[in-house]
Each structure stands twice: as C-alpha cells, then as structure tokens.
Amino acid sequence: MTDRLSGRSGCPINLTLEVLGDRWSLIVIRDMMFGNRRHFRELLGQSEEGIASNILADRLKRLVALGVLSRQDDPTHKQKAVYSLTDKGIELLPLLVQMGAWGRRHLPTTPELAIRQQLMEDGGPALVADFMAELRHLHLGTPLPVGHDPVLPRLRAAYEAELARREG
Amino acid sequence: MTDRLSGRSGCPINLTLEVLGDRWSLIVIRDMMFGNRRHFRELLGQSEEGIASNILADRLKRLVALGVLSRQDDPTHKQKAVYSLTDKGIELLPLLVQMGAWGRRHLPTTPELAIRQQLMEDGGPALVADFMAELRHLHLGTPLPVGHDPVLPRLRAAYEAELARREG
DNA sequence: TTCAACCGATTGTATTTTGCAAGCAGTTAT
DNA sequence: ATAACTGCTTGCAAAATACAATCGGTTGAA
C-alpha cells in the first residue's frame, strides 16, 4: 500500500486517520493484540463492544488490503481463516497505548479494564517493546528474545486480580 | 463529561475511539495545535483537507460538549468566536505525535508535511513537553517556563526550509 | 450612509456508511 | 444422519457525511 487512499493530503496524521479513523478498526486490532483473537468468530463474539458481522468482514478485508493485517488459511480446518498482525500492524501498539493513556486519564473507564492500561503505562517503553517482540513471535513467527518474560499472561493476571479484588 | 457516550464499553481505548474515532475530530485538533487556528473560518478554509462547514460546526460543538475544546466570544468582534484547547485537549498531543510517527513510517506522506513530524519525533518527550507548555500558554494563559524556546516557530521554520530545499 | 466583505453557522439534498437480523454454502465432530 | 460451527453475504432501515447555497448580523472602508 504505497498510494494515497483519498485525495485529502499527505500529512502523516491525516493519512493515519484515513486508515484508522473510524470506530471499529482499532477495536479489531486491540482485540487481536490484547485478546490474542485470530479468527473471525472470536473477533465477532468475544468483544466487549459487539461489532456487527458485516462491519467486521469489511474491516478485516480493508485492513488486509492496507497491509495492517494478513490472512492465512488455517491448516487444521478447511474453512477457518487465521488473521495475523503484520509488522505494520504491530507497530500500532504505541499508538494504542497512548490512546488508552488518554482515555484512562480523561474518560470514565471501567476499573477492571483500566488496570491493563495502567500496567502498560507503568511498564513504560520497555514493556511496550517486550510486548511488540511477543506479538512478532505470535504473529510473524519471530523467535523470542532469550529470557523473555511473557506480557500477555501478566496483563491477564492483573485483570483477574483486579476483578477478584472488586468482587471479593 | 463524566458519563458514557454510548453503551459500548468502559475500555480506555474504546472510550477514546468513541470521542475521537472519526475522520475529522483530530484534524481539527491538529490544526488548532500545529497551525494555531482559533476561528471557525480559519479552520474551515486553511486546512489541507477541506472540511465541510456543517461538519466543522458539528465537530466544534461536539468537542466543546466533551470538554476537549472551549469556546469564548472574541472581544474584538461581536460575531467572532475563539476556540481554545482545554487541558484535556492539549494532552492529546502525545497521541497525535504517535499517529504522525506511524503515518510517517508506514504511509506515503508528503515530505514537506512529514518534516514537522520528524522534528517532533527527533525532539523526543522533552520537545513534546515544551510544546504542551506552549499550548497551555496560548490556550489557557498559563505562564511560559523561564527560558522557553518557542516550538511553533521551529516547526514552521523546518517546514519552510524543507519547502525551499525542494523548490530551489 | 451605503455597501461589500466577512462572521459563525444553518438548510436542503444526495450519497455513503453504519447497524441489525437473518441466512448462506461448506466443514467438522458426534 | 445431523447438529454445531466456519467465514462471510444479503436486504433493509437509520444515521453520518459531503456538497452547495445561503442565512442574519457585524465590520471597515468609501
């Protein structure tokens, strides 16, 4: 994808908005990153927000065309498709963290959903880099750095601890 | 603005998308920050992308209602309105910088528009902090730190230097 | 005092995007 | 045989967006 999408302008911020400036694209990417959802039905049914199936199909097709995601056939099931983040997609992580940071500070977030965000912020750029390395492993097959301490379980643990704290 | 917008979810990323997840809101904020545009007509006519007047009116109203912008009467002209960034709005700068960084790396940007972005990236968090202090001065009247080296002129100079380099 | 330029919007209309519910043909596990 | 599941499509209503024209009021210069 090297060509202009619409004829608005070549401003970096505008171009990013033309790719991601809607209500659902980044939700899909968020769920792929933080929820490790790789299949259509997973993305469809297990999200907090409830995307419609036609919208999801459209966004997946679009993001694949734009080079943010890729799509492979699942070898274990002739009808299953596996969606992966490309490197271009993985590099959206810092943007998502910034969005979450602003939302956490300025909008009425739910505590058990905000805790993951806080963990990402507290971990700083090093944690973001670790998570990106982990995503490259999960989505691109890149080997993990030696001594890598997995990030996704840490995020899940923080979420469940907060949930337990609030319930119990 | 402390209440949920729509009933989607309390996830920080989702809430931010509900506020800013469209093609124009962040364009308006970008022009207010980097172009120092404070009036309706300035925002309408001088942007690269050409927003429609009804959309602009809607976004301004909406962003004011959400506490990202504020609106004051211009004392020099009974019909003029001055739009300002609130602190909530100014704190979107790191998000815009991240968006620009991703766009510059992965999308076909125009060199003279990308140069400002590169300057922001090269300056790192310190430059972003300086710029935020400057925005607080321009929009909220906060005193500038002693020894402050203005950022907007630096950005403009970089833009014009790149423009001259490419023309001459 | 006239008048053209400018002010922040609004109106009307056409087009596009979104949201929702139902359903498709093919695949798999029981 | 069949029921559950796969990614994805269809039809239709509602909402958002785009475009052009224009509004009533203000201002500055002739």
Side-chain angles (χ1 to χ4, degrees):
Chain A
M1 211 55 191
T2 111
D3 269 330
R4 214 56 45 86
L5 259 140
S6 72
R8 297 215 321 193
S9 95
C11 163
I13 291 171
N14 174 62
L15 290 173
T16 301
L17 278 173
E18 290 189 41
V19 172
L20 303 167
D22 71 273
R23 280 184 161 57
W24 290 111
S25 296
L26 284 170
I27 292 286
V28 170
I29 292 165
R30 177 204 65 182
D31 284 348
M32 290 184 69
M33 284 185 176
F34 293 93
N36 198 31
R37 311 204 201 297
R38 308 290 294 273
H39 301 287
F40 188 94
R41 296 272 179 180
E42 284 176 350
L43 288 161
L44 185 64
Q46 295 173 29
S47 96
E48 297 265 348
E49 291 86 9
I51 188 171
S53 62
N54 54 344
I55 307 289
L56 176 59
D58 177 82
R59 290 305 180 280
L60 288 172
K61 194 174 297 181
R62 182 181 144 88
L63 290 171
V64 167
L66 287 165
V68 176
L69 305 180
S70 68
R71 196 203 119 114
Q72 298 101 28
D73 291 334
D74 187 329
T76 74
H77 189 306
K78 286 186 182 173
Q79 257 183 329
K80 265 187 178 172
V82 184
Y83 288 94
S84 301
L85 291 159
T86 61
D87 192 71
K88 188 172 173 176
I90 291 168
E91 292 206 351
L92 285 169
L93 179 61
L95 176 54
L96 280 174
V97 171
Q98 277 296 329
M99 289 190 61
W102 189 82
R104 196 169 76 85
R105 179 170 306 195
H106 293 289
L107 301 173
T109 55
T110 302
E112 63 270 22
L113 293 173
I115 190 75
R116 283 188 263 199
Q117 176 60 37
Q118 186 179 350
L119 202 78
M120 288 302 300
E121 289 175 47
D122 292 348
L127 182 61
V128 172
D130 277 4
F131 195 10
M132 285 175 71
E134 190 166 325
L135 290 172
R136 288 199 176 88
H137 173 65
L138 290 169
H139 291 256
L140 306 175
T142 309
L144 279 174
V146 287
H148 176 82
D149 180 16
V151 177
L152 274 177
R154 283 190 263 166
L155 294 176
R156 184 171 9 252
Y159 169 72
E160 279 163 12
E162 175 69 17
L163 210 63
R165 200 184 66 73
R166 295 180 55 80
E167 282 175 351
Chain B
M1 211 60 193
T2 111
D3 269 330
R4 213 60 40 92
L5 262 142
S6 73
R8 295 212 324 192
S9 96
C11 163
I13 291 171
N14 173 61
L15 290 173
T16 300
L17 278 173
E18 291 189 41
V19 172
L20 303 167
D22 71 273
R23 280 182 163 59
W24 291 111
S25 295
L26 284 170
I27 292 286
V28 170
I29 292 165
R30 177 204 65 181
D31 284 348
M32 291 186 69
M33 284 185 175
F34 294 92
N36 198 32
R37 312 204 201 296
R38 308 291 294 273
H39 301 286
F40 188 94
R41 294 273 180 178
E42 284 177 350
L43 288 161
L44 184 64
Q46 295 174 29
S47 96
E48 297 265 348
E49 290 85 11
I51 188 172
S53 62
N54 54 345
I55 307 290
L56 175 59
D58 177 83
R59 289 307 180 278
L60 288 171
K61 195 175 295 180
R62 181 181 145 88
L63 291 171
V64 167
L66 288 165
V68 176
L69 304 180
S70 68
R71 196 203 121 115
Q72 298 100 28
D73 291 334
D74 186 331
T76 74
H77 189 305
K78 286 187 181 171
Q79 259 183 326
K80 266 188 179 170
V82 184
Y83 288 93
S84 301
L85 292 159
T86 62
D87 192 69
K88 187 172 174 176
I90 290 168
E91 292 206 351
L92 285 169
L93 179 61
L95 176 54
L96 280 175
V97 171
Q98 277 296 331
M99 289 189 61
W102 189 82
R104 194 168 78 86
R105 180 169 305 195
H106 294 288
L107 301 174
T109 55
T110 302
E112 62 270 24
L113 293 173
I115 190 74
R116 284 189 263 199
Q117 176 59 37
Q118 187 179 349
L119 202 78
M120 288 302 300
E121 288 174 49
D122 291 348
L127 181 61
V128 171
D130 278 5
F131 195 9
M132 286 176 71
E134 191 167 325
L135 290 171
R136 289 199 175 88
H137 174 65
L138 290 168
H139 291 255
L140 306 174
T142 309
L144 280 174
V146 286
H148 176 83
D149 181 16
V151 177
L152 274 177
R154 282 190 263 168
L155 295 175
R156 184 169 13 249
Y159 169 73
E160 280 164 10
E162 175 68 16
L163 210 62
R165 200 185 66 74
R166 295 181 56 79
E167 282 174 349

